Structures are given as structure tokens and as C-alpha cells.
Amino acid sequence: MGAQVSKPTAEQKEELKGKLDKNCRNAALAIEDASVLLFATGAGFSADSGLATYKDIADVSAYRERNLEYMDLCQEHWASTEPDIFYGFWGSCYNTYRNTKPHEGYNIVRGWRDRHFHRNTKCAARLRRACAQKSLDHQNKHKEDANLSKELQMGAPPAEPPPPHNCPSANVLAPHHQAADISLEEMEERSPGAFFALTSNVDAHLAAAGYIETETREIHGNVYTWQCCKPCCTRTWHTPSDFQFEVDSETMTARAPGGSNGSATNDKDSDGVSSTTSSNNPNPHFGNSFGVRFIFVVEPLWRV
């Protein structure tokens, strides 16, 4: 994010232009010949939709007057020290991302997936079975650790410890809704196949463009999924589809969401903790029951 982007010389630009058609054909042949496609995107891909990149997103007078840049505004302390700044910055990003349509490139790559890397290829079937087995092993290891912990707490002699677990990323297969017990077949159905999208963008445009949740990984989370930053629980909250922040364009500030702005939907954690939309809270408002301290959760929510 802080590194300078390399720029080709005038001679290199001419060479690239001269080889453009050839290089595009070679890339197309490589994609057609591949068995698996990993689609990795960053800020440049969002920029093609008209969204600002890191160096421009905070380049407005309200922030310049306070000598604030993008990395300054990303600091967690704003949520408690000056929540109006926090919600103004992220609220502005949120509104812009939600109101901007993903560019045609998303549809083009999705077409490659549907034609060449769909879930029913032989390679995809093998990958899904292998990923599902690792995820199931992780689930069983978690249960064994929980049982061992209970035995120790009760003073019973501990059982033989489980073997080392070498798959810390297995839970990537079940974002948001990891069940307490799930069969290998169910896990396989929810596992990625021959296509996977990896992005550092928080605009959620992969989902907006129709990409499958189990085939995507947003390493920085997205602006629609929220979690208490302590964290005080494993639950996440999703903003309503029609929600918008009320941002003052001159001061770039906004009040914490609440009142008539709508309620957030909640994913229960594995312990079944009641959500803000339960019968105990018949008229909840987004943000009103868990204060003003939020960060974006890295998706999927890790439970180890």
C-alpha cells in the first residue's frame, strides 16, 4: 500500500504495445489449458469501476485540513476518540461502494469460471473432496480439544491428546455459518472447486457480481460485515441492503448508525447467543446494542 507503483520507460511502453495481441493470445491459451484458476485482485481492479485507490480515497479538503491520510484514518482509535470521523470515513466508503456497479471485468472472469472451471470438472471434484476432508479433520480436532478441556476442568484423567493439527486454514470452507457437526458430503458441497477468488478489496463487489461465497476470500473483510472490535463475541452483523450512512460532505463526519436507519442482521455464534434481532429486542437498531466500537471483520470469521 505504501510502495510506489513501477512505471515502464517509453521504450518499454512501445514494446508492450507491440506485443499486446500476442501476449493476450498467450494468456488466453494458458487460461484455457489450466485446470484451476486463482483470481487475485486488489485496488486496481476496483479502480476500473471508478472507485478511488488508496492514495486518492482520503484526498478531500476536510482531511487535508487535519493533515490526515488514508492510513491515519484506518486506525481503530477513531471509533472511540472521534466516532464522527470514524463513521464519516467508513460511511462514505460504504455508500460509494454500495452505489457503484461492478465493472464488466467481473462478468468476464465469471464467464471463464462457468465455462472452464465450474464445480463439476474432475479436478474440481478432487479438490472439493480433499478440502472437505481437511475441514472435517479440523472440526473433529476442535471437538476433541473441547472434550479434553472439559475432562481437565472436571478433574478426570485426561485422554490421550489428539494428533497435531496441521491445517489452520481449513475453516475457510465454511464462512459465516460453521455448524457444530457436519458430514463429509455436506462439507464437500460447501467447499471450493477449481475456481477461487482472493481479494484485498473491501467493496464486496465479488458478491455483488454473483461470485459464490464459498469460492471467495476477502482478506480484509468488507464494509457490509461488522463485528465488535474487542472482540466480545464471535457474532457478525450485516447491514440492511437499503442502508446508507448520512455523511456530511463538507466535514466528512457522520453519526453512529441507529434510530430509523434500520436493523442489522446477525449471524449466531456456535453457542447460540441470541442476536440483536431476537424476540428480547423487538425494535433493534443497527449499532445501538453494542456501542460505537467496530472494525471490519476478516471474512470468513475464524473459529479455532
Side-chain angles (χ1 to χ4, degrees), residues 90-122:
W90 287 113
S92 175
C93 294
Y94 175 100
N95 292 348
T96 300
Y97 297 159
R98 174 144 278 177
N99 296 333
T100 301
K101 183 180 179 181
H103 61 76
E104 184 58 25
Y106 289 91
N107 294 331
I108 292 173
V109 176
R110 196 180 68 233
W112 297 348
R113 179 202 67 186
D114 294 343
R115 290 193 300 272
H116 304 292
F117 306 100
H118 54 81
R119 294 171 61 81
N120 296 323
T121 66
K122 291 182 178 179

Side-chain angles (χ1 to χ4, degrees), residues 41-295:
T41 60
F45 203 68
S46 287
D48 287 340
S49 295
L51 299 176
T53 56
Y54 299 118
K55 69 181 182 68
D56 299 321
I57 197 168
D59 188 18
V60 296
S61 59
Y63 298 137
R64 288 195 297 268
E65 290 173 3
R66 298 189 57 166
N67 198 30
L68 295 174
E69 297 182 351
Y70 175 77
M71 288 304 297
D72 301 317
L73 293 161
C74 286
Q75 302 305 310
E76 178 188 332
H77 70 82
W78 295 110
S80 55
T81 59
E82 293 188 62
D84 287 357
I85 292 290
F86 176 84
Y87 286 109
F89 176 69
W90 287 113
S92 175
C93 294
Y94 175 100
N95 292 348
T96 300
Y97 297 159
R98 174 144 278 177
N99 296 333
T100 301
K101 183 180 179 181
H103 61 76
E104 184 58 25
Y106 289 91
N107 294 331
I108 292 173
V109 176
R110 196 180 68 233
W112 297 348
R113 179 202 67 186
D114 294 343
R115 290 193 300 272
H116 304 292
F117 306 100
H118 54 81
R119 294 171 61 81
N120 296 323
T121 66
K122 291 182 178 179
C123 180
R126 292 197 301 270
L127 286 170
R128 288 166 56 199
R129 175 53 64 107
C131 289
Q133 185 61 61
K134 286 193 175 184
S135 191
L136 190 63
D137 292 344
H138 174 80
Q139 174 182 278
N140 292 335
K141 169 65 167 55
H142 182 74
K143 290 172 61 178
E144 290 172 357
D145 287 348
N147 291 335
L148 179 62
S149 177
K150 288 181 181 179
E151 290 178 0
L152 290 173
Q153 291 175 5
M154 296 174 61
E160 184 177 345
H165 174 58
N166 297 316
C167 186
S169 62
N171 238 12
V172 73
L173 306 180
H176 297 312
H177 309 294
Q178 179 67 26
D181 291 288
I182 187 171
S183 68
L184 178 62
E185 289 72 23
E186 291 174 304
M187 194 77 77
E188 186 175 344
E189 184 61 29
R190 293 162 55 177
S191 299
F195 176 86
F196 200 84
L198 179 73
T199 185
S200 61
N201 297 330
V202 298
D203 51 29
H205 277 192
L206 285 170
Y211 286 72
I212 302 172
E213 183 182 44
T214 54
E215 294 182 344
T216 60
R217 173 82 164 110
E218 297 167 311
I219 61 173
H220 293 162
N222 68 64
V223 294
Y224 309 140
T225 307
W226 297 67
Q227 182 184 30
C228 177
C229 69
K230 290 184 179 179
C232 59
C233 66
T234 59
R235 286 173 293 176
T236 56
W237 284 264
H238 298 273
T239 55
S241 59
D242 59 348
F243 178 79
Q244 292 278 299
F245 283 86
E246 297 180 4
V247 181
D248 186 317
S249 59
E250 293 187 5
T251 63
M252 292 303 293
T253 57
R255 300 187 64 178
S260 60
N261 286 339
S263 59
T265 58
N266 163 256
D267 290 322
K268 283 189 177 182
D269 62 10
S270 57
D271 295 325
V273 178
S274 61
S275 73
T276 56
T277 55
S278 70
S279 58
N280 294 328
N281 188 9
N283 188 28
H285 299 123
F286 174 50
N288 74 341
S289 60
F290 37 91
V292 297
R293 290 176 56 79
F294 296 96
I295 55 172

